[in-house]
Amino acid sequence: MSNPRHIAIIMDGNGRWAKARGLPRTAGHKAGVDALREVIRAAGKMDIPFLTLFAFSSENWSRPRSEVTDLMGLLKLFIRRDLADLHRENVRVRIIGERQDLAKDIRGLLDEAETLTVRNTGLTLVIAFNYGSRNEITRAVQRLVADVASGVITHEDITPEAISVRLDTADIPDPDLIIRTSGEMRLSNFLLWQAAYSEFMFLPCYWPDFRPSHLAEAIETFHMRERRFGGVAAQEIAL
Ligand code: IPE
Ligand code: IPE
Ligand code: MG
C-alpha cells in the first residue's frame, strides 16, 4: 500500500504527562509543543504531503480560564518563533476551525502564517485550532443554504462533494490515518465527515512523549492494514 497522503493527530495527554511528574498542566502543554515541533520536521522528511494537528477544540473553552489563556499564549509563541523556520523549510500552513471567536491578535497571526506560506510546496501543515466538526459542518450547511437562497445552486446540487468543498478542509484530502495519543479512544468532534474511511490508531503514550519513531511505527502499521472502501479485497476478486 502506498504511504498515507494525510495523517491527522489528536495530540492528547499533556495534562496527565505533567501530573505524572508533579508538574502543572502548562508544563505538559509546553512539552507538547516541543514534541509537535519534532513531529512536523519528521513528517516533512518522511514525505507526508499533509499533516493535521488538533491543537485546540471548540469544546476546550470549557477548561479553566488560566489554562485557556496558556494554550492561546503557546499558539502565539509557536507562530512567532517557528513561522520563519517553517517557511524556510517550504512548509505550507493551513488553519481549520472557527476564527471569528478568536482574539484579534491570534487571528492576525493565523492569517499571517497562511499568507506567508501559501506558495510553499513541501509539507502542508494543517493546524486545527478552535476546531470542532459539528461547528464546521454547521457553517458549511449555512453556506449551502445561502447559495441555494441566492440561486448560485439548486437543492439538487447538494451532493457530498458540494458539502466537502464548503468545509474548512476544502482541497485537503481526507485523512488516511488518524492517530490519537494518551489511550483515549474517541474522536472528540474531530474530522467527523472527513474520517469516513480513515484508519485509526490509538497509542498509549502521552503526547509529550510522542517521537518521530512513533510516527514511523504508525506508518508501518498502516501499511499492514487492508483498506476496502466498501469493496472486496483484490485477492478475493481473483479467486
Ligand atoms: C491535549 O492534552 C492538549 C489539548 C487538548 C489542548 P490534554 O490537556 O487534553 O491532556 P489530558 O487529556 O488532560 O491528559
Ligand atoms: C481533544 O482532546 C482535543 C485536542 C487534542 C485539542 P480533549 O482532551 O479535549 O478531549 P476529551 O475531552 O478527552 O474528549
Ligand atoms: Mg485530553
Side-chain angles (χ1 to χ4, degrees):
M1 201 203 301
S2 51
N3 256 346
R5 263 184 93 197
H6 181 181
I7 299 179
I9 308 182
I10 303 173
M11 309 183 289
D12 197 15
N14 293 351
R16 279 163 284 168
W17 181 92
K19 194 174 178 199
R21 285 161 180 74
L23 298 169
R25 291 179 61 84
T26 327
H29 296 314
K30 278 195 189 129
V33 176
D34 294 337
L36 161 165
R37 196 174 275 124
E38 241 192 287
V39 166
I40 295 169
R41 302 273 127 69
K45 286 193 189 117
M46 290 174 193
D47 284 326
I48 309 289
F50 294 86
L51 175 70
T52 296
L53 300 175
F54 199 6
F56 190 89
S57 81
S58 47
E59 285 73 33
N60 287 146
W61 294 103
S62 63
R63 295 188 177 203
R65 234 200 18 223
S66 60
E67 182 167 347
V68 171
T69 308
D70 285 342
L71 289 167
M72 296 291 153
L74 281 173
L75 175 81
K76 286 193 260 185
L77 201 63
F78 174 72
I79 296 181
R80 287 195 185 119
R81 275 197 193 157
D82 286 65
L83 182 59
D85 284 344
L86 292 171
H87 184 43
R88 204 172 314 119
E89 287 157 26
N90 199 21
V91 173
R92 182 169 64 130
V93 180
R94 281 278 305 266
I95 316 289
I96 57 171
E98 169 76 272
R99 291 217 211 165
Q100 242 166 38
D101 310 340
L102 296 172
K104 223 170 133 192
D105 59 341
I106 294 191
R107 268 186 292 164
L109 282 168
L110 298 180
D111 290 344
E112 186 190 330
E114 284 187 324
T115 311
L116 178 71
T117 62
V118 70
R119 278 183 235 293
N120 289 348
T121 53
L123 171 77
T124 297
L125 170 65
V126 184
I127 301 176
F129 198 83
N130 192 24
Y131 176 85
S133 266
R134 288 183 174 182
N135 170 282
E136 179 194 35
I137 293 168
T138 304
R139 285 183 285 111
V141 170
Q142 286 171 351
R143 284 183 207 135
L144 264 181
V145 172
D147 286 346
V148 172
S150 65
V152 177
I153 56 169
T154 73
H155 74 278
E156 283 163 349
D157 298 319
I158 300 176
T159 58
E161 175 63 14
I163 294 170
S164 287
V165 299
R166 286 169 178 80
L167 295 172
D168 297 349
T169 50
D171 69 43
I172 296 172
D174 288 343
D176 300 296
L177 171 59
I178 296 181
I179 299 170
R180 182 170 187 150
T181 57
S182 89
E184 307 293 353
M185 297 188 199
R186 54 178 171 264
L187 274 177
S188 303
N189 202 13
F190 186 51
L191 302 177
L192 302 181
W193 172 276
Q194 298 86 339
Y197 271 103
S198 302
E199 294 294 323
F200 289 92
M201 279 176 215
F202 298 99
L203 308 187
C205 84
Y206 295 143
W207 174 252
D209 291 327
F210 190 90
R211 291 288 166 274
S213 59
H214 292 96
L215 187 65
E217 271 168 43
I219 294 172
E220 241 175 74
T221 308
F222 174 84
H223 283 296
M224 292 185 295
R225 299 272 178 97
E226 184 186 52
R227 302 178 83 192
R228 296 195 192 146
F229 300 100
V232 178
Q235 64 270 29
E236 302 292 331
I237 295 172
L239 292 176

